[in-house]
Amino acid sequence: MQKNINVVQELLKKTNEAKKSLPPLRILITGKTGVGKSTLINAVFGEELASTGVGKPVTSHLRRYSTKNNLVLFDTKGLELVGSTLEETDKEISDFLREAQIQGEPIHMIWYCINSMGHRVEETELKLMTSLSKQVPLLCLLTQSIAGKGGELKRVIEAYNLPIAGVLEVLAEDYTLGKTTFPAWGLAELIAFCYSLLPKGVDLTFLQAQTDIDLKVKEARRYVKGYVATTFGVGFTPIPFADATLLVPTQLGMLAHLTMLFGVDMDENMLLALLTALGGTTGATHLGRGIVSQVLKMVPGAGTLMGGLISGTTAALVTTSLGYSYIAVLANYTKAQREGQKLEPKALVDMLKSQLKKNTKALSKDKSFDAGPEKPPLLKRLGHVIKRK
Ligand SMILES: Nc1nc2c(ncn2[C@@H]2O[C@H](COP(=O)(O)OP(=O)(O)OP(=O)(O)O)[C@@H](O)[C@H]2O)c(=O)[nH]1
Ligand SMILES: [Mg+2]
């Protein structure tokens, strides 16, 4: 294995590779003018898309917005959808959907927005939703839903039994009416629904592009569990302590994937501070030893290294603890960034350290991790030891 690689560069490179491997996700957002499409997009995908004045015109009513997160949004503008314009609109959007499919750049989902304040749904809209949903899964979103307005409309629309994926209410931004402010709601449900509806692959693109941090945390932790299970395998083969450095490429791969899932650009200095805190140096060899020995100290009963081996279960525990702790750091980093705050590297380093302690302690109690030393006979087990390259 190459020694003294610059792990920060390596992590950044792996994160970029993970980002690039995400398939493009294309969502079309439509509905009458002023229903709140742009407001909803901003709430679900973050402030960066707030400058909705721009965007590339695709057809006379369609605009395309590409984001750096492999998400492509198509937003219609100024649709009136009354009388004869329905047929034109239907044709315009249907032709576009078909063409996109032929070009090998299919639209994965349509959000059809209706303003809850309008109290009712027009015949033309029912027709349009039915027509479009024949081509692409369509979600009917009842926007600006305050004081139960969307609920009534939801029942009305559901009663039509349209061939659509679902009807959901949402209030994308707090709404003030006189002295009363109605807090935004329904976003997490909408996000969870889309996430479950999207096909494998593009669901990850959606996960990293959307703004619900709790969902990212939940899915990232699930990813760590799966990653550790496949990396260390059933029975968790023992690893010589000296080869703990071999864990580094594995762990870096995991950290890169997690960074990608959060859809944030981690500052190079921030990563340097975090990795330095873990390993005490930027060299990969030391980093691997650093991570393992630091975390090992916190694992009860793991201090006795039989024949210089750390058990596979311990290696798995260390890696899981590292993953969970890094997720907590990413979550806080992302939250702070969204609120326009800047966290100092030291704050994140402290957070990482206290999280490592907390998670290692909790995982050590987890029965699925048998953190103690492997049972003899040692020689037999040595046959399964990972070979040093
Ligand atoms: N408070 C609040 N206001 C909203 C919400 N959704 C839309 N609005 C308001 O409704 C108006 C229209 O919203 P837009 O998001 O621009 O509507 P649009 O569907 O993109 O309109 P077009 O681009 O013209 O088709 C704006 O003034 C928004 O502030 C919401 O969830 N909460
Ligand atoms: Mg708009």
Side-chain angles (χ1 to χ4, degrees):
M1 198 182 84
Q2 196 188 350
K3 286 188 179 172
N4 298 321
I5 46 164
N6 183 335
V7 268
V8 175
Q9 290 309 324
E10 187 68 13
L11 181 51
L12 286 171
K13 194 178 125 219
K14 285 192 171 173
T15 306
N16 274 330
E17 283 166 8
K19 272 187 198 167
K20 279 196 189 125
S21 73
L22 285 171
L25 166 66
R26 300 174 204 90
I27 301 179
L28 171 76
I29 296 118
T30 187
K32 279 192 191 178
T33 185
V35 292
K37 299 182 292 294
S38 303
T39 311
L40 185 63
I41 291 173
N42 289 346
V44 174
F45 298 111
E47 292 304 315
E48 276 164 60
L49 293 168
S51 55
T52 39
V54 284
K56 242 171 134 183
V58 183
T59 67
S60 52
H61 291 107
L62 263 177
R63 260 153 227 274
R64 175 194 160 107
Y65 303 91
S66 294
T67 77
K68 63 179 174 20
N69 290 339
N70 269 8
L71 168 75
V72 188
L73 295 175
F74 296 88
D75 180 12
T76 60
K77 227 178 137 58
L79 286 186
E80 294 301 338
L81 294 180
V82 284
S84 61
T85 58
L86 169 78
E87 274 170 35
E88 285 166 34
T89 306
D90 188 358
K91 187 171 180 332
E92 184 178 333
I93 302 178
S94 292
D95 285 352
F96 164 73
L97 294 176
R98 205 169 302 114
E99 188 59 25
Q101 179 80 39
I102 291 167
Q103 297 294 324
E105 296 182 354
I107 305 300
H108 298 98
M109 186 185 270
I110 298 176
W111 292 359
Y112 192 100
C113 302
I114 299 177
N115 190 338
S116 305
M117 306 282 207
H119 306 283
R120 63 198 190 94
V121 55
E122 287 166 33
E123 189 74 26
T124 49
E125 302 213 80
L126 293 171
K127 272 192 190 155
L128 186 54
M129 280 194 278
T130 307
S131 166
L132 297 179
S133 63
K134 282 181 191 143
Q135 291 192 65
V136 174
L138 182 144
L139 260 180
C140 175
L141 302 180
L142 308 177
T143 56
Q144 305 191 42
S145 178
I146 60 163
K149 291 233 166 22
E152 293 161 30
L153 195 55
K154 183 171 149 77
R155 281 186 288 279
V156 170
I157 295 174
E158 280 175 344
Y160 284 102
N161 266 325
L162 303 177
I164 61 180
V167 187
L168 277 94
E169 298 168 67
V170 65
L171 178 63
E173 273 178 14
D174 292 356
Y175 196 100
T176 305
L177 202 63
K179 285 187 182 152
T180 319
T181 295
F182 298 89
W185 71 283
L187 282 168
E189 290 79 359
L190 163 61
I191 287 168
F193 194 90
C194 292
Y195 182 55
S196 67
L197 197 66
L198 286 166
K200 237 184 158 37
V202 286
D203 62 344
L204 279 192
T205 313
F206 180 77
L207 182 66
Q208 53 93 47
Q210 59 80 36
T211 50
D212 184 346
I213 296 177
D214 291 344
L215 181 68
K216 286 185 198 238
V217 168
K218 192 175 134 220
E219 291 303 296
R221 286 174 71 105
R222 223 163 56 96
Y223 163 79
V224 167
K225 270 193 185 166
Y227 194 90
V228 166
T230 49
T231 307
F232 296 100
V234 184
F236 294 151
T237 315
I239 302 166
F241 180 72
D243 281 355
T245 51
L246 289 178
L247 286 173
V248 171
T250 294
Q251 290 169 339
L252 276 187
M254 178 183 76
L255 298 181
H257 191 93
L258 294 173
T259 314
M260 176 277 281
L261 279 187
F262 275 80
V264 283
D265 282 326
M266 276 298 255
D267 182 292
E268 202 166 320
N269 288 329
M270 208 68 96
L271 287 178
L272 182 64
L274 288 175
L275 294 178
T276 304
L278 284 174
T281 171
T282 53
T285 315
H286 290 112
L287 183 70
R289 281 175 170 271
I291 292 174
V292 175
S293 53
Q294 273 203 48
V295 181
L296 267 188
K297 275 187 230 147
M298 306 170 194
V299 183
T304 46
L305 294 163
M306 284 187 60
L309 290 177
I310 62 164
S311 74
T313 44
T314 303
L317 189 148
V318 166
T319 309
T320 309
S321 180
L322 176 67
Y324 284 7
S325 306
Y326 187 62
I327 290 169
V329 169
L330 280 172
N332 280 291
Y333 184 78
T334 316
K335 267 183 202 152
Q337 213 179 40
R338 190 164 305 153
E339 286 158 12
Q341 294 169 4
K342 189 152 169 52
L343 284 177
E344 289 306 314
K346 178 161 185 322
L348 288 184
V349 166
D350 290 347
M351 197 184 300
L352 181 65
K353 286 187 168 168
S354 69
Q355 282 288 330
L356 270 174
K357 249 190 209 140
K358 194 183 116 202
N359 285 315
T360 307
K361 210 171 148 192
L363 290 168
S364 302
K365 287 185 189 148
D366 184 340
K367 288 210 173 61
S368 61
F369 287 102
D370 169 19
E374 295 282 316
K375 292 197 173 51
L378 186 64
L379 277 179
K380 199 169 176 194
R381 282 189 290 110
L382 279 174
H384 300 284
V385 158
I386 294 174
K387 291 273 178 340
R388 199 197 261 272
K389 278 190 193 144

